Structures are given as structure tokens and as C-alpha cells.
């Protein structure tokens, strides 16, 4: 092979295309910078956007600085930094992710990725050495490796099915986007199929025979991706009075023969004048002495042994040897047919192909792919898959003028998988990520880690393996999409070495632009064990809900975030709203609290217990309501629990008034009444007496407590004090402890 490119670096397809925002003329940045202006910007996290503007620049320290501004300095532009994912690609991304996820599961079941014995660039994907050393037996290693290879083969077949389905959707498109999509899909399908043909199917005995051969699979790949000869192509000279005189007749014969189209080449030869003149209705199975040259050649072509028809390689090679002897015999006697035909030279060329003359095959092949097909069919019919790379060294390839698709194919055949991935980066990052994943599981990918600047990996020592680097970069293209962000997270989660570290950073950067999306993101964090990011998302949502005036929902999210100070602050706001306006929002919030939340924070427990008191009172269960009230008020003095803020004791004493005056029965016994009296005296004799008695006024007036408000509260307490004395007397008389 000649003309191998020197530059093997990863192509920067991932970088943005040049975007012109209109702040200056195209190419005018240097001119702008030489003055006192420069362009500054801010890249939006995760989103495919950036905000840019012109700023004043200090020429001395080369930095933006405040100063006089012009009208242009006030212009702020929002620009796209890369092409958005086409809408037509969404279903394809989702479907292929399903294949990807199934492969990861199969690999885990089979025991993980294995390493090739021959090194990281061995053309045979062997699995004779377990990744941990020599602990397993050789037979066990081979079995495990075969299972992994089968799993990868199933994945490539399924990927190709999805690619074909997608290709049929966009095949008729004539827009630049559709044409570009067609190229990408063709490249991906070809790469996947060629990987199967050359490497994956080795030793898996796929096909009717019990020995591995490459002929049928290679020809299937070649004809699927590079226009094969069709019957309608020879119609112009088929209907001609002199078909052999058509300039495309013999080139078409050679091409169909090199590609293994036996039936087609026989059909073409049968319209040759030599065959028509013979007027033979049927051709026997043996070569007869009276047959003309073309009849004998047709018989040889029709009896060409195909490996798929033989159970063992020995039987095939024996039959092939006898067939080859017939070819050589006819070729040695070809001069005897000089008087029969005017195309002796062309027939000699056909016999040279059948006899496996390498020079003839290489000269007649239209490209290196067709040359390899001819060499496999007629020179090395028992060729093993990994030996295709050796045939490739015999053909000439103009690499300088090769397409990206062709360069990828060459790298796959040669087993240069790193180079194949580098060429894939010039095409599409879907292909890069999935192809790298396949190669990794086969154990042929470099173990070298890659330096990265991905979010969450600030330490230069945090170098992800190559498979993960490609997957992480591909996932980054999905995170900004309104529906594919979840798939992007799943790809990151499939990276065991660095995925969690990146997830913890990236999850919190995904825009929370919808309740459904937020719930899905929180659910993903729970399932993935991302406790820190989950709490941060809850904090973000809580702040949004609070700004919208939805205090109850904000409280619920702060509870999930385990933010105790914020929870206490919001509970106080709910209490103040209740004291100021009798707003019962706190009761609805308390009804939705989980037992775990109640156990976690004492203020939440207070809300729940106070709500229970109101329910008992509403249901006329006064004895139970009384007991609940006494327990709540008493908790304000507990050294450990302290459920109730003391500024609420005044309110709860007011709540007790109706129970104290309940006539049919004594709700509060002697002990309970004494507890209520003790609490009353505590707040009236405390140095914070004004704060406790003026709680209602403080809630209404934003903290201001007037003497009139305190006096009014004392008057109310006088009524309560009298009710307590009366109730105590009744409790003694009726002997209610």
C-alpha cells in the first residue's frame, strides 16, 4: 500500500464551526483587538449556546476593563456554538442506545472485556488471556471470549438494522442535511459490517458449513456498499446484434467474475456469438472434447466450488484442486482454439482469472476492494479472515484521494483500530462512540488514558480510558437536547472509571425547564446513587418554587435536600402566615410530609402533631385533642425535643380555651391543667415576655410589637387564667387526674 497519510491526530469535528454574530465583520477580530475593543463571551453550561459582546480593552495589560462605552458595547448576542442535533436523528439515537445498553448487559454477564494475546493491535481478536492474569484456565478463557465476541456480533448486526432503517427514511432526501446523513449512515454501516467480516465472525462458525471462510461475507459487504454489476447493466449489449463488439462487454465479464456473480457472468457469456453458433440446448457436467472454447469455460464457471457447500475445509480443497486441474488443462490448450473464435485473448484472460493469476486480477480490478475479492475467490479460496490484511499489502491504494469511508475500511482490514477511530472522528461522533465501545469490549483498544478537560475532571491525573473519553464526548452532544438528555446521562453512567465523577458535575448543569424533566432527573439521580447532585437539584427547584410564592412546595424540596436551616426558616414563615392571617397552608404541607421527614426535623414533627390536634378537635374527639395539646405545649420546654417555639404557646393556650370551657366533661385533668398553668406563667414572667405575647402582632407588622398588642394579649390570658382555675376546681371535684 502506498501513500499512507502522516497525520493521525483526532480530527476536531467536536469543535464548533465558525459563527458570525455580527459584532464585527467576518475576519475582523485582529483589527478589533488592535484597538481598544475585544470580544468577550460566556459559554452556557451544557447548552449549545454562548453569549458574546464587545468590551473595552486596556492595551497595557491586554484585559477587558471598565471605561467609556459606545453604542456597540451595549449589543449582546446569543449564538449557537455548534450544529444542533437534527430532529430526524432523535429516534435513531434512542433506538441505538437500546442496542448499546443490551450489549453492556451482555458483556457484564459474560465477564467483561478481554485482551488479545497478540497485543493491542493484533489482527486476530483472540481471548486467551483473562484481564486479571492467568487465574482462569485456557479453555475457560476461550469460552468467555467467544461469548463476548458473540455479544458484540449481535450488537453490530442490530446496529446495522437500525442504520438501514434510518437510511430508508432519509434515502430520498435531496437537501444538504439529508445527503450528509446518507454519507454518515453508509460509513457507519460499512464499518460495522466490515468489522464483522474480517474479525468478529472468526471461529464462530456462522453459516451452513462447519469451518470458517470469508468469501461469502466479504462479497456481501463489497456488493452492499459498492455498486455491484446488475442484470440491467448488460441489457444494451444483450439486445445488440453484435454484443461482443460492445466496448463494455468484456469489462463487464471480468467485473462480474471478480465479484463472484456466477449466474450473471454465465448469462453474459451465453449471448456471445460463439455460444449461439454452437446451438447447444443443454450443457453436460463433464468437459467434452467437441465443445467449443466458450462452452468449456462456461462449464468451468458453473462448477466453481463454493466453500459454503462443503462441511469441511479438506473436502472443499480437494474438490477445488480437481477443478483447478481442469482449468489448467484448458488453459494449456487454449491455442488449439485459435480458429474457433476471434476473442481468444479475452477468453485467455478469463481462464487466467479462474486459474488465480494475481497480476491479471490486480490489473483488471477496478479498485482495491474488487482486487481483494478476486484474490479471495481464485487465489486463496480457503483464506482465513485475519489474513485479508496480508492480501491488502498486494494491492495499490491511492490514499491521498480516498474518502473517509474508505480510510476507515482500510484501517479495519489492517487491524489499525486506533487509526480507524481517528478517521471516524471526521465523520460522526455517534459512530466514534459506538465503534470505540465495540473495540473496547473485544480487547483491541489501547489501554492508554486520555487527557481531558471534561467538566468534573479538573485534576490532570483524572484521565479516562479511551472508550470512556469517546462516550463522554458523545454524551455531551446529547445533554443539551430537550429529549435526549436522559440518554446522554445513561452513556455517562456506562463509564465505570470516570462516569460517576462526570455525572456528579453534569447532572446539576442540565436545565430544569419543566416539572416532568425535573422529576425524571431526580429519579435518575436516585437510581444512580448520586445523592449530592440530587440534593442540589432539590435546592435549585426549592429556590424557584419559593420565588414563585409556593412555599409549601419549596419546603418539600428543601426537605429532600436535607437543608435543615432552610426547612426551619420556611416552617417559621408558614407559622408567621398562620399567626398573621390564620392561613392554614401549613396544615396542607403537614399532610404531605413523610414519616422519614418528620423524624428528621423537629419543626416538621411539630407541624404534624399540631395538625393532628386540629383534626381531633374538628372530629369532636376532645379528650384526645386535649392530651395532644398538652403534649405539644409541654414540648416547648424539653431540653432535647423542643418541638414547639415558645412564641406559639400563647396561640395554643387560646386553642385550649374552648376545651377548658367544655361543659359535659372535664377535658383537662388536674395534672394537665397544672401543666397549662405552668406554661402560662412561664411566658408571662419570662424576660422575653413581650416577644411571646406579641407574636401575632409581630407576624402582622413585620416584627414590630406595640404595647397595645401586648396589653391585648394579657387581657386574653386573663380569661384563660380564669378558665384554668375553674377547670382545676372541676377536675378536683370530679376526681379527674
Amino acid at each position: 500500500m502506498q501513500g499512507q497519510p502522516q497525520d493521525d491526530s483526532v480530527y476536531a469535528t467536536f469543535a464548533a464551526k465558525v459563527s458570525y454574530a455580527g459584532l464585527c465583520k467576518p475576519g475582523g477580530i485582529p483589527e478589533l483587538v488592535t484597538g481598544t475593543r475585544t470580544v468577550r463571551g460566556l459559554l452556557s453550561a451544557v447548552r449549545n449556546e454562548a453569549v458574546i459582546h464587545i468590551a473595552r480593552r486596556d492595551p497595557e495589560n491586554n484585559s477587558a476593563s471598565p471605561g467609556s462605552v459606545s453604542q456597540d458595547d451595549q449589543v449582546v448576542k446569543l449564538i449557537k456554538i455548534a450544529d444542533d442535533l437534527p430532529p430526524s436523528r432523535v429516534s435513531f439515537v434512542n433506538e441505538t442506545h437500546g442496542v448499546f445498553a443490551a450489549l453492556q448487559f451482555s458483556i457484564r454477564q459474560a465477564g467483561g472485556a478481554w485482551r488479545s494475546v497478540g497485543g493491542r493491535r493484533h489482527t486476530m481478536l483472540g481471548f486467551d488471556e483473562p484481564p486479571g492474569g492467568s487465574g482462569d484456565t485456557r479453555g475457560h478463557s476461550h469460552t468467555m471470549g467467544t461469548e463476548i465476541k458473540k455479544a458484540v456480533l449481535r450488537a453490530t448486526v442490530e446496529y446495522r438494522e437500525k442504520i438501514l432503517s434510518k437510511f430508508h427514511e432519509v434515502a430520498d432526501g435531496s437537501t444538504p442535511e439529508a445527503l450528509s446523513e446518507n454519507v454518515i449512515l453508509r460509513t457507519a454501516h460499512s464499518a460495522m459490517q466490515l468489522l464483522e467480516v474480517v474479525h468478529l465472525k472468526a471461529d464462530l462458525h456462522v453459516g451452513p458449513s462447519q469451518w470458517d471462510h470469508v468469501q461469502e461475507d466479504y462479497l456481501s459487504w463489497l456488493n452492499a456498499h459498492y455498486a455491484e454489476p446488475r442484470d440491467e447493466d448488460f441489457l444494451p449489449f444483450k439486445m445488440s446484434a453484435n454484443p461482443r463488439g460492445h466496448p463494455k462487454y468484456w469489462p463487464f465479464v471480468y467485473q462480474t467474475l471478480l465479484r463472484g456473480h456466477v449466474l450473471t457472468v454465465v448469462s453474459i457469456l451465453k449471448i456471445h456469438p460463439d455460444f449461439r453458433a454452437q446451438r447447444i440446448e443443454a450443457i453436460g457436467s463433464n468437459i467434452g472434447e467437441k465443445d467449443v472454447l466458450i462452452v468449456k469455460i462456461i462449464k468451468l464457471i458453473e462448477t466453481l466450488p463454493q466453500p459454503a457447500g462443503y462441511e469441511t475445509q479438506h473436502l472443499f480443497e480437494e474438490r477445488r484442486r480437481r477443478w483447478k486441474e481442469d482449468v489448467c488443462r484448458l488453459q494449456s490448450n487454449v491455442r488449439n482454439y485459435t480458429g474457433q473464435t476471434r476473442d481468444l485473448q479475452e477468453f485467455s484472460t478469463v481462464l487466467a482469472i479462474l486459474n488465480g493469476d494475481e497480476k491479471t486480477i490486480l490489473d483488471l480490478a477496478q479498485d482495491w476492494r474488487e482486487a481483494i475479492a478476486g484474490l479471495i475467490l481464485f487465489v486463496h479460496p480457503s483464506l482465513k479472515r485475519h489474513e485479508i490484511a496480508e492480501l491488502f499489502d498486494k494491492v495499490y491504494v491511492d490514499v491521498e484521494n480516498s474518502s473517509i469511508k474508505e480510510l476507515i475500511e482500510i484501517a479495519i482490514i489492517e487491524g489499525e483500530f486506533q487509526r480507524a477511530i481517528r478517521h471516524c472522528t471526521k465523520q460522526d461522533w455517534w459512530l466514534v462512540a459506538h465503534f470505540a465501545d465495540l473495540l473496547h469490549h473485544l480487547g483491541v483498544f489501547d489501554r492508554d488514558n486520555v487527557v481531558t478537560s471534561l467538566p468534573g475532571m479538573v485534576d490532570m491525573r483524572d484521565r479516562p480510558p479511551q472508550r470512556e473519553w469517546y462516550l463522554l464526548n458523545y454524551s455531551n452532544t446529547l445533554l443539551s437536547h430537550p429529549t435526549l438528555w436522559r440518554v446522554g446521562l445513561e452513556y455517562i453512567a456506562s463509564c465505570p472509571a470516570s462516569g460517576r465523577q462526570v455525572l456528579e458535575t453534569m447532572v446539576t448543569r442540565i436545565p430544569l425547564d419543566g416539572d416532568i424533566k425535573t422529576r425524571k432527573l431526580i429519579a435518575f439521580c436516585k437510581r444512580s446513587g448520586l445523592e449530592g447532585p440530587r440534593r442540589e437539584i432539590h435546592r435549585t427547584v426549592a429556590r424557584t418554587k419559593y420565588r414563585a410564592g409556593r412555599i409549601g412546595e419549596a419546603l418539600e424540596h428543601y426537605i429532600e435536600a436535607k437543608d435543615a436551616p432552610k426547612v426551619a426558616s420556611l416552617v417559621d414563615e408558614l407559622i408567621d402566615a398562620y399567626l398573621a392571617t390564620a392561613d392554614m397552608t401549613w396544615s396542607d404541607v403537614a399532610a404531605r410530609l413523610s414519616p422519614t421527614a418528620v423524624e428528621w426535623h423537629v419543626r416538621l414533627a411539630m407541624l404534624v402533631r399540631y395538625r393532628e390536634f386540629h383534626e381531633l378537635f374538628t372530629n369532636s374527639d376532645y379528650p384526645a385533642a386535649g392530651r395532644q395539646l398538652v403534649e405539644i405545649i409541654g414540648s416547648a420546654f424539653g431540653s432535647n425535643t423542643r418541638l414547639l417555639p415558645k412564641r406559639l404557646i400563647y396561640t395554643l393556650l387560646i386553642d385550649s380555651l374552648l376545651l377548658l370551657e367544655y361543659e359535659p366533661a372535664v377535658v383537662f385533668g388536674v395534672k394537665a391543667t397544672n401543666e397549662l398553668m405552668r406554661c402560662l406563667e412561664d411566658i408571662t414572667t419570662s424576660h422575653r415576655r413581650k416577644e411571646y405575647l406579641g407574636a401575632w402582632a409581630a407576624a402582622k407588622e413585620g416584627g414590630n410589637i406595640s404595647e397595645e398588642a401586648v396589653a391585648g394579649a394579657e387581657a386574653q390570658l386573663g380569661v384563660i387564667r380564669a378558665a384554668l382555675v375553674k377547670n382545676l376546681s372541676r377536675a378536683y371535684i370530679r376526681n379527674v387526674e
Side-chain angles (χ1 to χ4, degrees):
M1 187 180 68
Q2 302 179 14
Q4 188 64 257
Q6 299 299 315
D7 183 12
D8 245 6
S9 59
V10 175
Y11 186 75
T13 309
F14 216 59
K17 296 181 179 179
V18 176
S19 298
Y20 294 109
L23 293 178
C24 61
K25 64 181 181 180
I29 294 294
E31 179 182 344
L32 185 72
V33 173
T34 55
T36 59
R37 296 288 186 269
T38 187
V39 176
R40 305 191 71 188
L42 177 64
L43 179 64
S44 177
V46 175
R47 292 182 185 271
N48 181 24
E49 297 172 344
V51 176
I52 64 172
H53 62 94
I54 294 179
R56 177 179 175 81
R57 185 177 65 86
D58 185 350
E60 294 185 0
N61 56 23
N62 199 31
S63 62
S65 63
S68 62
V69 295
S70 65
Q71 186 175 357
D72 290 339
D73 292 340
Q74 311 302 312
V75 178
V76 177
K77 295 279 188 175
L78 180 66
I79 65 169
K80 292 286 186 181
I81 60 174
D83 291 335
D84 287 328
L85 195 71
S88 60
R89 185 76 76 89
V90 174
S91 61
F92 177 75
V93 171
N94 279 316
E95 291 172 2
T96 53
H97 173 259
V99 178
F100 173 85
L103 173 61
Q104 311 313 307
F105 177 79
S106 298
I107 294 297
R108 289 194 297 270
Q109 294 294 103
W114 290 71
R115 203 66 182 160
S116 166
V117 173
R120 66 186 184 184
R121 289 188 174 180
H122 198 283
T123 55
M124 287 189 66
L125 306 189
F127 302 90
D128 296 322
E129 181 183 356
S134 58
D136 293 333
T137 63
R138 191 173 182 84
H140 179 68
S141 300
H142 178 75
T143 302
M144 297 292 286
T146 300
E147 290 303 313
I148 291 175
K149 188 182 283 190
K150 287 181 178 179
V152 174
L153 178 59
R154 286 194 301 270
T156 58
V157 171
E158 292 177 8
Y159 280 137
R160 289 198 294 114
E161 290 175 354
K162 304 299 183 184
I163 291 171
L164 282 178
S165 177
K166 183 62 182 174
F167 178 77
H168 293 322
E169 292 180 15
V170 300
D172 298 331
S174 57
T175 63
E177 293 78 11
L179 295 175
S180 175
E181 194 83 349
N182 284 338
V183 172
I184 292 171
L185 293 171
R186 289 180 182 275
T187 301
H189 191 280
S190 176
M192 296 283 186
Q193 188 173 4
L194 192 59
L195 182 67
E196 297 172 15
V197 171
V198 181
H199 302 288
L200 287 179
K201 289 186 176 181
D203 303 322
L204 293 183
H205 306 306
V206 178
S209 63
Q210 296 301 309
W211 58 284
D212 184 42
H213 52 84
V214 73
Q215 286 190 22
E216 184 177 352
D217 291 329
Y218 182 85
L219 291 174
S220 176
W221 167 78
L222 174 62
N223 293 322
H225 296 280
Y226 295 92
E228 60 178 319
R230 298 168 297 179
D231 291 342
E232 54 265 30
D233 293 336
F234 67 90
L235 287 178
F237 47 83
K238 182 178 181 180
M239 307 305 296
S240 172
N242 182 26
R244 61 163 295 279
H246 196 283
K248 292 185 178 180
Y249 180 85
W250 285 109
F252 198 73
V253 170
Y254 303 147
Q255 185 182 29
T256 53
L257 189 59
L258 290 175
R259 289 192 175 222
H261 295 289
V262 173
L263 296 178
T264 302
V265 72
V266 168
S267 299
I268 301 172
L269 289 175
K270 284 185 177 181
I271 66 172
H272 192 278
D274 291 354
F275 185 83
R276 291 177 177 177
Q278 186 71 5
R279 299 180 183 277
I280 297 177
E281 297 181 358
I283 300 177
S285 59
N286 298 320
I287 298 179
E289 293 296 331
K290 296 181 180 180
D291 292 333
V292 296
L293 180 60
I294 191 171
V295 173
K296 293 184 177 183
I297 290 177
I298 289 175
K299 288 180 179 180
L300 288 173
I301 295 174
E302 289 180 329
T303 58
L304 173 67
Q306 302 291 344
Y310 297 86
E311 294 185 356
T312 65
Q313 182 176 347
H314 174 73
L315 292 175
F316 168 72
E317 291 180 346
E318 179 61 26
R319 178 67 187 91
R320 182 78 180 207
R321 183 186 62 77
R322 294 197 299 269
W323 178 84
K324 193 76 172 289
E325 290 175 354
D326 292 338
V327 174
C328 292
R329 191 179 301 113
L330 182 59
Q331 190 177 27
S332 62
N333 297 327
V334 72
R335 295 296 178 186
N336 297 334
Y337 296 90
T338 303
Q340 291 184 1
T341 179
R342 291 183 297 171
D343 295 327
L344 186 64
Q345 181 61 43
E346 287 76 8
F347 285 129
S348 298
T349 300
V350 171
L351 287 172
I353 294 174
L354 295 178
N355 197 30
D357 184 270
E358 288 191 7
K359 184 178 184 307
T360 301
I361 292 173
L362 296 177
D363 289 344
L364 293 175
Q366 295 187 2
D367 54 37
W368 63 268
R369 292 169 290 270
E370 201 166 277
I372 291 177
L375 293 175
I376 293 175
L377 280 171
F378 302 108
V379 184
H380 305 284
S382 300
L383 186 78
K384 300 299 181 184
R385 296 176 187 272
H386 66 276
E387 295 173 340
I388 294 180
E390 299 176 12
L391 294 187
F392 186 76
D393 293 335
K394 299 180 180 181
V395 301
Y396 171 78
V397 181
D398 184 8
V399 179
E400 296 298 330
N401 296 317
S402 296
S403 65
I404 299 301
K405 178 171 177 280
E406 189 174 9
L407 293 174
I408 294 172
E409 293 164 353
I410 293 171
I412 292 173
I413 288 177
E414 292 186 322
E416 294 288 342
F417 299 113
Q418 289 289 345
R419 194 170 78 236
I421 288 293
R422 294 186 184 111
H423 290 312
C424 287
T425 61
K426 305 175 185 179
Q427 194 69 275
D428 183 73
W429 276 80
W430 178 92
L431 176 60
V432 172
H434 292 83
F435 203 62
D437 178 64
L438 295 172
L439 297 176
H440 168 81
H441 293 313
L442 291 172
V444 296
F445 219 33
D446 281 345
R447 294 183 180 180
D448 299 337
N449 292 356
V450 181
V451 177
T452 182
S453 59
L454 288 168
M457 306 186 71
V458 296
D459 193 333
M460 291 298 290
R461 293 170 296 180
D462 296 332
R463 298 183 176 186
Q466 289 198 56
R467 166 191 177 267
E468 298 192 8
W469 188 82
Y470 291 122
L471 286 175
L472 292 173
N473 278 280
Y474 172 63
S475 68
N476 203 34
T477 66
L478 306 177
L479 293 179
S480 61
H481 196 275
T483 61
L484 294 177
W485 59 269
R486 174 71 176 274
V487 175
L489 293 179
E490 295 289 353
Y491 277 106
I492 298 176
S494 68
C495 301
S498 54
R500 185 178 185 85
Q501 188 175 355
V502 175
L503 271 178
E504 289 180 346
T505 301
M506 299 301 287
V507 162
T508 57
R509 298 188 177 191
I510 295 177
L512 303 176
D513 46 9
D515 290 341
I516 296 177
K517 182 177 181 180
T518 300
R519 288 196 295 270
K520 288 182 177 180
L521 193 56
I522 291 173
F524 175 84
C525 291
K526 284 184 177 180
R527 195 181 77 248
S528 304
L530 301 173
E531 190 62 19
R534 184 187 69 83
R535 292 183 179 182
E536 186 58 35
I537 293 171
H538 277 296
R539 289 190 189 95
T540 302
V541 177
R543 289 191 291 268
T544 302
K545 299 295 184 183
Y546 181 78
R547 286 193 293 267
R550 299 155 72 173
I551 297 179
E553 295 181 40
L555 177 62
E556 292 175 358
H557 284 283
Y558 276 128
I559 291 171
E560 291 292 337
K562 300 295 183 183
D563 194 332
K566 284 292 185 180
V567 169
S569 175
L570 290 187
V571 170
D572 286 343
E573 284 196 35
L574 290 172
I575 292 173
D576 288 340
Y578 174 61
L579 296 179
T581 63
D583 183 1
M584 295 293 288
T585 300
W586 65 268
S587 181
D588 297 332
V589 173
R592 297 195 298 266
L593 293 176
S594 66
T596 304
V598 173
E599 294 176 1
W600 170 67
H601 203 288
V602 293
R603 290 295 175 86
L604 300 177
M606 182 272 296
L607 288 182
V608 171
R609 296 188 68 180
Y610 193 35
R611 181 178 182 275
E612 290 173 355
F613 160 74
H614 278 272
E615 287 183 339
L616 292 171
F617 187 88
T618 302
N619 295 330
S620 301
D621 190 354
Y622 299 130
R627 289 192 297 271
Q628 183 83 334
L629 187 64
V630 172
E631 289 178 4
I632 295 174
I633 293 179
S635 68
F637 300 92
S639 58
N640 295 323
T641 56
R642 191 63 67 91
L643 294 179
L644 184 73
K646 285 189 175 182
R647 63 192 180 94
L648 281 180
I649 292 179
Y650 172 75
T651 302
L652 269 67
L653 289 174
I654 297 296
D655 290 334
S656 71
L657 187 57
L658 291 177
L659 296 177
L660 289 170
E661 295 179 347
Y662 183 63
E663 192 58 39
V666 177
V667 174
F668 299 108
V670 174
K671 185 176 181 181
T673 305
N674 285 329
E675 179 66 15
L676 293 175
M677 296 177 73
R678 184 183 70 83
C679 293
L680 186 150
E681 294 304 318
D682 184 88
I683 63 172
T684 56
T685 59
S686 171
H687 67 284
R688 300 175 65 182
R689 166 179 165 277
K690 182 177 181 180
E691 176 186 343
Y692 297 152
L693 299 185
W696 289 7
K700 291 179 181 178
E701 304 298 333
N704 296 323
I705 303 175
S706 63
E707 292 299 330
E708 291 81 4
V710 175
E714 287 181 336
Q716 287 287 344
L717 289 181
V719 176
I720 295 174
R721 186 178 289 108
L724 285 170
V725 173
K726 180 179 177 182
N727 186 80
L728 184 61
S729 174
R730 291 168 60 208
Y732 273 119
I733 293 173
R734 299 186 185 185
N735 197 25
V736 179
E737 292 294 329

